[in-house]
């Protein structure tokens, strides 16, 4: 599939300890590393394109007791400070978090080895959502086509190589997922899968509710399931990122809420790419007990 983006100037990534990150994040690295977590912080952690926005809306709906109007108070981008967000002159993610009353819900794409140490020191709660690598790669490809702050992905064939080599923002999918999976029993981690939320949203939302120490009754949970469906969130201006400026997210290239399915990789991967990817996957994930589902 030879789908290419228009040529343009996009800022290159820079690295911290071998992990490529947006240059503005690297510029702000000392503030990010010095972030002071609090024991009652809940940190939403994801590799990009794994369902961050979806889990943010679920968490907020739980936090607001299923009150749809309260979830409309501000766009999803501004509800949970994005820890490593740095776009001067806007306040950074760290500035926004510092100004937020406790208990705070924050979000990050950082791999475990780059997380500010205070999160471990304070034994915070981590809510990790993982999505199968192939769908993640496809979603990230389309996101890089439209996100003007990330490098141009080139053609699908080129992007496939960039992605398997881990040269994308926030680094290798393999290292990210393995890192969070390996520490899940040592810390307070609720480890969820995008595919499970898709298959049985009520059951997974209940897990999130319990992890947050909340107790909502059946009808409220049913409302949360309904309001956080792909169709509802795609139509909702508070969750579909439609207010993001075009110079950041150009949704005429690809919508943020694109397909929201499991198995779209089959429309992108050639047979040869699938075989090569499966081989790489086997090598990189050898020895881990994690299991992903790539179709429903
Ligand atoms: N309510 C929902 N149900 C299913 N998928 C959702 C969703 N909300 C967002 N997504 C999907 O999650 C991906 C974005 O992830 P993130 O929020 O981490 O950037 C996109 O995937 P696709 O590009 O495959 O459609 C988006 O469509
Ligand atoms: C400002 C809107 C925006 C920018 C980047 C986003 O994605 S990610 O958090 O970098 O993965 C989402 C929304």
């Amino acid at each position: 599939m030879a789908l290419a983006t228009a040529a343009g100037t996009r800022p290159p990534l820079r690295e911290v300890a071998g992990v490529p990150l947006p240059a503005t994040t690297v510029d702000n690295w000392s503030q990010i590393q010095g972030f002071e977590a609090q024991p009652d912080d809940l940190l939403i952690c994801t590799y990009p394109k794994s369902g961050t926005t979806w889990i943010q809306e679920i968490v907020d709906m739980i936090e607001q007791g299923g009150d749809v109007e309260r979830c409309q108070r501000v766009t999803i981008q501004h509800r949970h400070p994005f820890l490593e967000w740095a776009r001067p002159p806007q306040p950074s993610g760290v500035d926004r978090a510092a100004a937020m009353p406790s208990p705070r819900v924050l979000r990050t794409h950082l791999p475990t080895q780059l997380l500010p140490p205070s999160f471990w020191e304070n034994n915070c709660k981590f809510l990790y959502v993982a999505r199968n690598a192939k769908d993640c790669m496809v979603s990230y490809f389309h996101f890089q086509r439209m996100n003007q702050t990330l490098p141009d992905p080139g053609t699908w064939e080129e992007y496939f190589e960039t992605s398997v080599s881990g040269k994308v923002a926030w680094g290798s999918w393999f290292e990210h997922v393995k890192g969070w999976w390996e520490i899940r029993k040592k810390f307070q981690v609720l480890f969820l899968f995008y595919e499970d939320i898709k298959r049985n949203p009520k059951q997974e939302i209940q897990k999130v509710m319990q992890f947050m120490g909340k107790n909502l009754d059946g009808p409220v949970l049913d409302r949360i399931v309904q309001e956080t469906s792909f169709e509802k969130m795609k139509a909702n201006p508070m969750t579909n990122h439609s207010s993001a400026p075009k110079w950041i997210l150009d949704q005429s290239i690809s919508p943020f809420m694109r397909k929201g399915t499991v198995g779209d990789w089959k429309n992108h991967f050639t047979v040869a790419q699938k075989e090569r990817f499966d081989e790489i996957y086997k090598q990189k994930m050898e020895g881990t007990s994690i299991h992903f589902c790539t179709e429903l």
Side-chain angles (χ1 to χ4, degrees), residues 173-175 177-182 184 281-292:
W173 177 95
F174 303 102
E175 300 312 316
V177 167
K178 275 195 294 189
W180 282 99
W181 180 252
E182 277 156 20
R184 76 194 184 286
Y281 187 95
K282 224 162 64 189
Q283 284 167 19
K284 300 255 189 201
M285 300 302 276
E286 200 188 346
T288 67
S289 56
I290 197 165
H291 175 74
F292 280 91

Side-chain angles (χ1 to χ4, degrees), residues 157-172:
E157 289 74 15
E158 287 163 347
Y159 189 71
F160 179 89
E161 300 303 328
T162 312
S163 178
V164 293
S165 65
K167 297 289 178 202
V168 293
W170 289 281
S172 152

Side-chain angles (χ1 to χ4, degrees), residues 154-209:
T155 64
W156 165 250
E157 289 74 15
E158 287 163 347
Y159 189 71
F160 179 89
E161 300 303 328
T162 312
S163 178
V164 293
S165 65
K167 297 289 178 202
V168 293
W170 289 281
S172 152
W173 177 95
F174 303 102
E175 300 312 316
H176 203 281
V177 167
K178 275 195 294 189
W180 282 99
W181 180 252
E182 277 156 20
I183 59 99
R184 76 194 184 286
K185 289 182 183 158
K186 288 195 216 118
F187 294 92
Q188 299 193 79
V189 181
L190 177 64
F191 199 105
L192 299 181
F193 293 89
Y194 177 102
E195 295 76 17
D196 288 343
I197 313 177
K198 195 81 198 168
R199 186 177 19 221
N200 193 344
K202 192 168 178 179
Q203 175 188 287
E204 300 307 297
I205 291 170
Q206 256 169 328
K207 287 184 192 167
V208 179
M209 178 192 79

Side-chain angles (χ1 to χ4, degrees), residues 46-58 107 109 131 135-136 138-140 142-143 194 197-198 225 227-234 239 241 254-262 264:
T46 49
Y47 185 76
K49 312 321 289 174
S50 300
T52 323
T53 315
W54 193 10
I55 198 70
Q56 281 186 264
E57 184 70 354
I58 289 171
R107 76 163 177 115
H109 289 321
R131 185 182 195 184
D135 281 334
C136 239
V138 168
S139 181
Y140 211 167
H142 290 291
F143 187 59
Y194 177 102
I197 313 177
K198 195 81 198 168
V225 170
E227 293 298 327
T228 58
S229 70
F230 178 76
E231 292 70 25
K232 281 273 188 163
M233 285 184 59
K234 187 177 172 74
T239 54
H241 291 290
S254 179
F256 187 94
M257 294 287 169
R258 199 181 57 87
K259 287 198 179 171
T261 56
V262 178
D264 189 38

Side-chain angles (χ1 to χ4, degrees), residues 229-284:
S229 70
F230 178 76
E231 292 70 25
K232 281 273 188 163
M233 285 184 59
K234 187 177 172 74
N236 179 353
M238 292 301 171
T239 54
N240 65 16
H241 291 290
S242 54
S243 61
K246 201 172 174 174
W247 63 268
I248 297 185
L249 301 183
D250 187 346
Q251 301 212 39
S252 67
I253 297 175
S254 179
F256 187 94
M257 294 287 169
R258 199 181 57 87
K259 287 198 179 171
T261 56
V262 178
D264 189 38
W265 63 270
K266 291 181 192 166
N267 299 315
H268 292 72
F269 280 60
T270 63
V271 172
Q273 282 173 335
K274 183 210 174 281
E275 283 172 4
R276 185 148 160 257
F277 187 86
D278 288 348
E279 198 48 48
I280 294 167
Y281 187 95
K282 224 162 64 189
Q283 284 167 19
K284 300 255 189 201

